[in-house]
Amino acid sequence: MKTWYERAIQSLNEAALAVQERNNIPIRSLESLASHIVASLHETDELVVEALSGPPGSPLLTNLLNVSILGTRVGIGLGYYGDELHRLALAGLVHDIGLFAVPTELLSKSGRLTPEERTLIEQHPERGVEIILQCDPTLHWLAQVTCQAHERWNGRGYPHRLKGRQIHEMAQICGLVDVFDALVSERPYRPRLFPHEAVKELLVAERATFPREILKALVEQLSVYPLGTTVRLTTGAVGVVVKINSRYPLRPVVKVTAEERGDDVQSHELDLSLTPLIAVTETLKPPVVGQVHVGTVLSRPPASSATIGVSDHFTSLLESLDAITSTLQAVVETQKRQS
């Protein structure tokens, strides 16, 4: 039986075929997908785990769905709700719809693109505008977001070299998540990055490309260690991230699964925001679908008095320890490369 994710990819494939055959895309079907994504993310983050797990399929199609899922998660972090959040989910589903009007052989070309070929590809946002308005002339807002999804805060995007607040905020969210999804997805020319590696890459390489508040929301909502990620702790124990502390992205709740006690292998949850001397030392595996179940995932720390009552001094201690841990990890990685 197909999963919801697989059925959603099938619906997006129908939209892609409609573009290639110059027919109207099934916008109402896509609106239904967007509604499901929003409703699902209000209940559980299983779709986030699925999107981050490198699902198989056409990269163009999985990218549309992943940008919708992850972008909606970021939108929730920015305070989006109601119709606005539904619009963001729909925008993610069609942000690159114009690519399907580009010749397939050009998109799959393995060598370097000629200037003419690059120009042709960079026209796809405007083709997306035509596709959307053809199926519903009232969707001007969606056409605007689609046209601007590849514009960048520093003015180095395309097709119109817009900058700063000239760019629709939803387009900036889709653009950031689009880059993030590309980094965590397998490509013929490079392996996929772990989500926490992709976050670090964005913070280093793209900090002038996207506004700080959207980058911050992505880090808080997707976490440096996303749900379902297998990690090793400073104690040597191995576990799976089952909850995210949005206040402390480096300190999720980990279900420790490889700690032996006597003759039994027991598991327990460890909230790293409450244990300053224990931290994540390395990521062992990316998120795996099926390790996180409905009802066991929270995107924010539980509303316990212990969590809410963390003092500013304790917060500073956590941040200092995390900085020390990151520095030590960097030194170790450098020594490994040099040896």
Side-chain angles (χ1 to χ4, degrees):
M1 181 181 294
K2 288 186 177 180
T3 65
W4 180 89
Y5 190 98
E6 291 170 331
R7 294 195 301 273
I9 289 295
Q10 186 175 345
S11 295
L12 287 170
N13 187 53
E14 292 171 2
L17 290 174
V19 172
Q20 293 168 350
E21 295 170 359
R22 300 181 182 275
N23 294 325
N24 288 349
I25 60 173
I27 193 67
R28 302 307 166 220
S29 173
L30 297 178
E31 288 175 341
S32 178
L33 286 182
S35 294
H36 179 92
I37 289 169
V38 172
S40 178
L41 291 180
H42 279 314
E43 296 294 329
T44 172
D45 276 337
E46 276 206 340
L47 285 182
V48 173
V49 176
E50 182 107 36
L52 292 174
S53 65
S58 163
L60 293 179
L61 296 176
T62 57
N63 173 258
L64 293 180
L65 186 52
N66 291 348
V67 168
S68 180
I69 293 169
L70 302 178
T72 300
R73 183 75 259 176
V74 171
I76 291 172
L78 290 168
Y80 283 48
Y81 65 94
D83 289 343
E84 190 178 38
L85 193 60
H86 282 79
R87 286 188 168 198
L88 178 57
L90 179 59
L93 291 173
V94 300
H95 78 281
D96 262 351
I97 197 70
L99 276 176
F100 297 101
V102 176
T104 306
E105 62 272 14
L106 189 56
L107 296 176
S108 59
K109 182 179 178 180
S110 58
R112 185 182 296 274
L113 296 173
T114 67
E116 294 77 16
E117 290 171 336
R118 181 169 295 280
T119 297
L120 183 59
I121 288 180
E122 290 186 355
Q123 290 173 350
H124 84 263
E126 294 172 315
R127 289 290 295 116
V129 170
E130 296 169 5
I131 291 163
I132 290 167
L133 295 181
Q134 176 182 313
C135 74
D136 189 338
T138 68
L139 292 176
H140 294 287
W141 70 269
L142 186 57
Q144 180 186 9
V145 174
T146 300
C147 189
Q148 296 179 1
H150 292 280
E151 301 287 0
R152 295 295 180 256
W153 186 257
N154 57 9
R156 295 183 179 179
Y158 63 87
H160 300 303
R161 302 295 186 267
L162 302 179
K163 62 171 57 177
R165 300 296 176 188
Q166 293 177 316
I167 309 167
H168 197 293
E169 185 173 86
M170 288 187 189
Q172 296 183 59
I173 295 171
C174 288
L176 174 60
V177 178
D178 183 43
V179 174
F180 178 79
D181 180 65
L183 292 173
V184 299
S185 299
E186 195 80 28
R187 291 292 184 265
Y189 49 88
R190 62 156 175 80
R192 68 190 296 260
L193 297 182
F194 286 119
H196 76 280
E197 294 172 326
V199 167
K200 291 178 181 177
E201 177 70 18
L202 286 175
L203 293 176
V204 171
E206 305 288 349
R207 62 187 180 203
T209 309
F210 299 99
R212 179 178 298 180
E213 64 268 21
I214 296 179
L215 278 166
K216 181 173 182 288
L218 181 141
V219 173
E220 289 179 345
Q221 294 301 311
L222 301 184
S223 180
V224 177
Y225 304 106
L227 297 166
T229 304
T230 301
V231 296
R232 189 186 305 280
L233 305 179
T234 48
T235 61
V238 173
V240 175
V241 175
V242 293
K243 299 175 187 175
I244 293 172
N245 287 321
S246 60
R247 190 175 177 186
Y248 309 109
L250 292 175
R251 293 186 165 273
V253 177
V254 177
K255 185 175 184 180
V256 179
T257 56
E259 189 171 78
E260 296 190 9
R261 297 179 179 180
D263 296 329
D264 301 322
V265 177
Q266 301 183 4
S267 64
H268 64 283
E269 289 188 6
L270 188 62
D271 187 343
L272 299 186
S273 72
L274 304 178
T275 56
L277 299 181
I278 302 176
V280 175
T281 59
E282 62 177 324
T283 299
L284 302 179
K285 297 178 184 177
V288 177
V289 178
Q291 285 188 336
V292 182
H293 304 286
V294 176
T296 66
V297 177
L298 297 175
S299 60
R300 294 174 178 79
S304 65
S305 58
T307 302
I308 295 173
V310 176
S311 67
D312 291 337
H313 176 73
F314 189 65
T315 301
S316 299
L317 175 60
L318 284 178
E319 292 174 347
S320 298
L321 286 169
D322 287 335
I324 292 170
T325 300
S326 296
T327 301
L328 290 173
Q329 282 183 255
V331 171
V332 171
E333 290 171 2
T334 301
Q335 290 177 338
K336 285 182 179 178
R337 288 194 295 268
Q338 291 175 347
S339 61

